[in-house]
Amino acid sequence: MPEILATPPFSARIVERLSIGATSRRERVIHSLDGLETPVRPAALAATGDLLWERLHAQLPSADNSVDFLLGLDAGGILPTTALATASQLPYKIAWKLHLPLDGAVRFREPHAMRTDVFAYGIAPGQRIILVDDEITTGQTLADLTRQLREAGAEPLAAACLVEDTTRGARALLAGLGLPLVSLTTIGADR
């Protein structure tokens, strides 16, 4: 499987998952910020956040004035969300796989995960939000989150990710919902 470089030192590739559950994907995108293979230097995290912010800001020039917060997804989305928040100086929140008695709860599903229910809290009508995750494959999770946020009256403006798998139709799915997708790098049909 080829390694795709977006900008030094960021890299990503697909590996086969071992010991997976019945609903889990057979493969996983891993990247140089997840700390799986080598330690991550803070400068690499900062540089990646800066580049992702550049691309997002080019897509949404008014983002620094029109976004209320970034909403990152539990686990993989935490690092790119904090890196993007640092680069953009936008506040962030994280959606967790924790069902808690908190106000403004929005429940959405991550269909390929072992625990599929995810919750964003403190969601209110009129909030303008950028969704952030480390990798996007099918786009189903972000599509469901977008629908649920809109039902709650919030306004998802865009989605940002480190790695986009271009073979699964995520970009088209999200575009059909009016949600632009900004990715740092892509992995395509060369797998």
Side-chain angles (χ1 to χ4, degrees):
M1 290 178 217
E3 184 168 70
I4 312 290
L5 294 178
T7 181
F10 185 80
S11 62
R13 64 190 173 102
I14 296 174
V15 298
E16 181 182 357
R17 293 179 68 184
L18 307 174
S19 305
I20 61 170
T23 61
S24 297
R25 292 189 315 250
R26 298 199 55 74
E27 55 196 23
R28 172 73 179 157
V29 174
I30 63 170
H31 53 79
S32 56
L33 292 186
D34 59 24
L36 285 169
E37 297 182 294
T38 59
V40 178
R41 297 201 176 277
L45 183 63
T48 302
D50 289 343
L51 184 55
L52 190 55
W53 173 239
E54 270 181 41
R55 292 192 182 178
L56 182 61
H57 197 259
Q59 179 84 20
L60 294 171
S62 63
D64 45 0
N65 297 320
S66 66
V67 174
D68 292 308
F69 58 88
L70 307 171
L71 179 60
L73 274 63
D74 181 318
I78 295 171
L79 287 173
T81 301
T82 56
L84 190 55
T86 301
S88 66
Q89 292 301 294
L90 291 168
Y92 73 89
K93 297 175 78 153
I94 303 294
W96 294 95
K97 292 183 179 179
L98 297 171
H99 193 190
L100 303 170
L102 300 176
D103 291 336
V106 169
R107 176 183 171 192
F108 62 100
R109 300 188 53 80
E110 187 175 19
H112 59 273
M114 292 195 60
R115 289 184 2 210
T116 59
D117 290 339
V118 188
F119 300 86
Y121 296 100
I123 303 301
Q127 290 176 327
R128 296 157 309 194
I129 304 167
I130 293 176
L131 312 178
V132 185
D133 206 357
D134 63 338
E135 50 109 355
I136 295 177
T137 54
T138 66
Q140 292 296 328
T141 301
L142 290 182
D144 191 44
L145 174 55
T146 297
R147 289 182 198 104
Q148 298 305 319
L149 288 170
R150 287 178 178 160
E151 191 173 301
E155 183 182 350
L157 300 174
C161 68
L162 298 176
V163 184
E164 174 191 355
D165 182 339
T166 61
T167 65
R168 308 274 179 103
R171 184 172 292 273
L173 174 64
L174 297 176
L177 292 170
L179 190 72
L181 174 59
V182 175
S183 56
L184 186 58
T185 191
T186 59
I187 293 178
D190 297 334
R191 305 187 308 184

